[in-house]
Amino acid sequence: EVKYNKRLSKDFAFDIGGNYNYARNKILYQTEPQRPYPWMERTGKRFGEKFGYIAEGFFNSKEEISKWADQSIFGVIVPGDIKYKDLNGDGKIDQYDQGNIGNPDLPEITYAITNGISYKNFELDVMFQGVTNTSLLVSSQGGWEFYNSAKVANHHMGRWTPATAATATYPRLTQSSSTAKNNFQNSTFWVRDASYIRLKNITLTYRVPDKFLAFKNAEFYVSGNNLLTKTKYLGYDPEFAVSFNTMEQGIDYGLTPNTRTFMLGIKFGL
C-alpha cells in the first residue's frame, strides 16, 4: 500500500494512494476418492477451482453429432446443442471428462485506488476498487433462458438457429432446462471472467466555517456508492454473485446485485 500527499498552496492540496494484493493458494493434500485421470484430481489445484466439461462449440448437423463422442448421457442431442471434449478419448462423454474449467471465485488479485482533492472548504474523495484472476459459473436465473418463467436476456439473442449457425454465441433456446440437460451442464461455456473495476465511492464535502453556525466543525456532504462498473461479466454483479451455500461458492444464481446508493448528510460537533 502506498500513499502520497502534497499541499500545493494554502488553499489547495491533494493525495493519491492505492494498494495491490496478490495471493495464490494450492491444495497440498486433500482426502479424495481414487481418480482414474489426473485432470479430475483436486490435490495440487487451487481452492475453489471449478470442474466440469470443456465446451467445443455447437453441433450444426445430425451428421456432426453422429461423428462426435456420444453425449446421450444427457438425453437426445440435436443441432444447436453444446458439444463437449472427450478428454479420455473413449468415445463417450461422462463424468471422466470433467476437468478444471476456470479460476477460483476468490480473486487472486485485488486492488484499490484512492484520490482526494481539497480546495478551501471543499473536499472531493474518490475510490476505485477492482479484482482480477477470478471467474464465476453462471447458473439458473443468473444466465439461463426462461428460467422460473422469466424472459430472455440480451445474451440469449445470439442463440443458435440453422440460419445463425456460423455466428451463434448461445445454444438453441428451450422452454425448460429439463428438456435440454446437455446444454446446462457445468462447462467452460458457463464460466465467465469475473474481473472488474468499480467506482466504489465518491464523496463531496463542504466544511462550514464556525462563524456561520452555532455548531463547531460542521460539514455537509453528498456521497454515492457503486456508481460505475467496467467488466466483461455476463451476470448481474461480479462482486456479489456468490451462493450462500458454502458447497456452491463460485456459482452465480442471479442473486440481487449491489445497489447504487446516494446519501446527503451533515456532521457537526457540539
Side-chain angles (χ1 to χ4, degrees), residues 172-192:
R172 65 186 178 93
L173 296 185
T174 57
Q175 289 291 331
S176 171
S177 59
S178 63
T179 62
K181 291 182 179 180
N182 177 83
N183 296 335
F184 301 102
Q185 302 299 311
N186 288 354
S187 75
T188 53
F189 180 80
W190 296 108
V191 173
R192 296 292 186 272

Side-chain angles (χ1 to χ4, degrees), residues 11-207:
D11 295 327
F12 183 76
F14 76 92
D15 65 78
I16 185 169
N19 62 70
Y20 178 94
N21 300 281
Y22 174 81
R24 169 165 286 197
N25 64 74
K26 181 179 180 180
I27 301 174
L28 299 179
Y29 176 77
Q30 175 177 321
T31 302
E32 56 183 320
Q34 184 71 32
R35 311 261 189 202
Y37 302 102
W39 57 80
M40 300 178 67
E41 296 173 354
R42 272 56 173 175
T43 299
K45 304 296 195 303
R46 291 170 293 174
F47 178 78
E49 284 195 45
K50 300 162 189 64
F51 285 79
Y53 300 102
I54 298 175
E56 297 274 80
F58 309 122
F59 289 114
N60 290 321
S61 66
K62 291 182 178 180
E63 181 182 7
E64 186 179 6
I65 294 171
S66 67
K67 293 180 179 180
W68 198 261
D70 182 13
Q71 295 185 191
S72 61
I73 187 176
F74 307 125
V76 178
I77 308 300
V78 300
D81 285 345
I82 299 173
K83 53 185 179 182
Y84 300 117
K85 187 174 183 177
D86 183 10
L87 290 180
N88 63 357
D90 65 356
K92 61 181 179 181
I93 303 298
D94 54 26
Q95 70 270 25
Y96 301 120
D97 297 302
Q98 294 187 12
N100 168 257
I101 57 172
N103 285 314
D105 59 293
L106 183 66
E108 287 191 329
I109 296 173
T110 61
Y111 58 91
I113 302 170
T114 59
N115 181 243
I117 300 174
S118 62
Y119 179 72
K120 292 187 177 180
N121 291 353
F122 289 93
E123 183 173 336
L124 178 67
D125 293 292
V126 180
M127 183 179 77
F128 290 90
Q129 174 238 335
V131 304
T132 189
N133 283 19
T134 179
S135 64
L136 291 167
L137 186 68
V138 178
S139 182
S140 57
Q141 69 181 24
W144 300 354
E145 72 271 19
F146 305 121
Y147 184 83
N148 200 21
S149 300
K151 296 181 180 180
V152 296
N154 287 337
H155 64 274
H156 297 136
M157 303 311 292
R159 66 197 184 281
W160 186 97
T161 68
T164 63
T167 58
T169 56
Y170 195 86
R172 65 186 178 93
L173 296 185
T174 57
Q175 289 291 331
S176 171
S177 59
S178 63
T179 62
K181 291 182 179 180
N182 177 83
N183 296 335
F184 301 102
Q185 302 299 311
N186 288 354
S187 75
T188 53
F189 180 80
W190 296 108
V191 173
R192 296 292 186 272
D193 182 357
S195 303
Y196 69 87
I197 182 170
R198 168 167 284 164
L199 178 54
K200 193 67 177 177
N201 175 267
I202 293 182
T203 300
L204 178 63
T205 303
Y206 176 71
R207 295 184 295 275

